[in-house]
Amino acid sequence: MKKNNDVYFITLIDLLVQVVFLGLLLYVVAEADQEGPATTVEVDRNTVERLLAASGVSNLTELTDELSKLAPVKELKGMADFIQKAGGPDAAKQIVEVVKQAGGAKQLGPYLQDARDAKEMIDKAGGKEKVAAIIKKAEEGSGKPPCLFTEENGKKIVKPLASIDADNAELVFEATTPELEKVLTQMNTSYAAIRKLTFAEFSSAFAPLTRIKPECRYTLRFIERTNFVHARDAASKVFYLNIVKSKPQSAAPEASN
């Protein structure tokens, strides 16, 4: 609905049916005056009078005057369009009731803008079905329990599989662990083969782990020495990350002449 209709949104809702009715009446009278024969005009005028009586007004002028006090007649087409798009008068009244309970159109303003932004984002992402598939895929990963725990004071604490350093270009394991060695055996690889990898190499090397352990996810202590997210993105495809921020590594100083 256009913004210039918002002011009249609440006050006109109880007259929505009358608005549509008014348009019908105007059409009937105009057609009768311009084209219909005398007998037809008289029948149509009698019908109009009965309908006006049922509406609680004496004539079209009175109904038009009452509506004009609430809004310019030119605004009423927008209201009729809203009724149609909402699914009819009953559905439109339900929408208005929700708006009232939320504090009115002014209170909902920021949220409506958020909703428009969200719709625009969803459309750019390929539509609701594609976004739903992305969310489902993310939930399938993030909803799995961690694979390793330790007990402290009767509570389960997530235990990292190993610690890994992440900079702008590589992911480097600080040291091996018994748990990591067991995982590497299941993957038919060795610690030497995975100790230092680029982001793409890391994702490829550990991709089989999601098939080997589909029921849970291992956690890495992730020492992040970069302000970029590429390292984090590569590791989080397979692992949960216990992120520890560290000062980014500076570039090596140039040799002096």
Side-chain angles (χ1 to χ4, degrees), residues 55-144:
S55 302
V57 293
S58 60
N59 53 57
L60 291 174
T61 301
E62 181 181 345
L63 178 57
T64 303
D65 288 344
E66 289 298 322
L67 293 173
S68 297
K69 292 177 184 177
L70 298 175
V73 174
K74 65 181 181 179
E75 301 288 349
L76 301 180
K77 184 180 183 301
M79 297 304 300
D81 292 341
F82 167 70
I83 300 169
Q84 183 179 10
K85 291 178 180 179
D90 291 340
K93 287 181 180 180
Q94 290 178 6
I95 293 172
V96 173
E97 187 58 34
V98 171
V99 173
K100 285 181 180 179
Q101 292 176 3
K106 269 189 178 179
Q107 294 292 332
L108 283 177
Y111 302 101
L112 292 174
Q113 184 58 49
D114 289 344
R116 294 187 191 101
D117 293 342
K119 182 181 183 301
E120 183 178 352
M121 185 181 300
I122 290 171
D123 291 342
K124 287 182 178 179
K128 292 187 294 184
E129 291 183 0
K130 187 170 182 179
V131 171
I134 293 172
I135 293 173
K136 182 179 179 181
K137 185 175 181 181
E139 288 176 344
E140 287 175 353
S142 61
K144 295 176 181 178

Side-chain angles (χ1 to χ4, degrees), residues 11-26 51-52 54-60 62-67 70 76 79-80 83 89 93:
T11 55
L12 282 177
I13 193 61
D14 292 329
L15 293 174
L16 293 178
V17 178
Q18 294 186 39
V19 169
V20 178
F21 181 56
L22 171 61
L24 175 62
L25 295 180
L26 291 174
L51 293 173
L52 286 173
S55 302
V57 293
S58 60
N59 53 57
L60 291 174
E62 181 181 345
L63 178 57
T64 303
D65 288 344
E66 289 298 322
L67 293 173
L70 298 175
L76 301 180
M79 297 304 300
I83 300 169
K93 287 181 180 180

Side-chain angles (χ1 to χ4, degrees), residues 37-246:
T39 55
T40 303
V41 171
E42 185 63 31
V43 171
D44 287 341
R45 289 189 183 280
N46 289 337
T47 302
V48 169
E49 288 176 3
R50 290 198 301 271
L51 293 173
L52 286 173
S55 302
V57 293
S58 60
N59 53 57
L60 291 174
T61 301
E62 181 181 345
L63 178 57
T64 303
D65 288 344
E66 289 298 322
L67 293 173
S68 297
K69 292 177 184 177
L70 298 175
V73 174
K74 65 181 181 179
E75 301 288 349
L76 301 180
K77 184 180 183 301
M79 297 304 300
D81 292 341
F82 167 70
I83 300 169
Q84 183 179 10
K85 291 178 180 179
D90 291 340
K93 287 181 180 180
Q94 290 178 6
I95 293 172
V96 173
E97 187 58 34
V98 171
V99 173
K100 285 181 180 179
Q101 292 176 3
K106 269 189 178 179
Q107 294 292 332
L108 283 177
Y111 302 101
L112 292 174
Q113 184 58 49
D114 289 344
R116 294 187 191 101
D117 293 342
K119 182 181 183 301
E120 183 178 352
M121 185 181 300
I122 290 171
D123 291 342
K124 287 182 178 179
K128 292 187 294 184
E129 291 183 0
K130 187 170 182 179
V131 171
I134 293 172
I135 293 173
K136 182 179 179 181
K137 185 175 181 181
E139 288 176 344
E140 287 175 353
S142 61
K144 295 176 181 178
C147 293
L148 295 176
F149 293 95
T150 58
E151 291 279 348
E152 288 187 15
N153 299 323
K155 294 183 180 179
K156 287 185 176 181
I157 307 294
V158 176
K159 181 180 180 180
L161 180 67
S163 294
I164 194 168
D165 279 338
D167 59 24
N168 293 335
E170 295 178 320
L171 293 165
V172 183
F173 282 94
E174 287 191 331
T176 189
T177 65
E179 293 82 7
L180 177 58
E181 289 292 344
K182 183 178 179 181
V183 167
L184 295 176
T185 299
Q186 292 174 327
M187 292 172 54
N188 295 319
T189 188
S190 66
Y191 179 69
I194 57 88
R195 191 186 73 82
K196 181 187 291 188
L197 299 170
T198 65
F199 304 150
E201 290 171 344
F202 188 93
S203 297
S204 177
F206 284 96
L209 191 55
T210 58
R211 298 191 297 271
I212 294 170
K213 296 289 288 186
E215 72 279 8
C216 63
R217 272 197 174 196
Y218 288 101
T219 302
L220 292 178
R221 182 172 179 269
F222 193 80
I223 304 170
E224 195 169 54
R225 304 181 189 276
T226 173
N227 291 325
F228 299 105
V229 299
H230 308 301
R232 187 184 300 187
D233 289 346
S236 63
K237 290 178 181 179
V238 180
F239 296 97
Y240 289 140
L241 304 181
N242 181 3
I243 297 174
V244 179
K245 291 294 293 183
S246 183

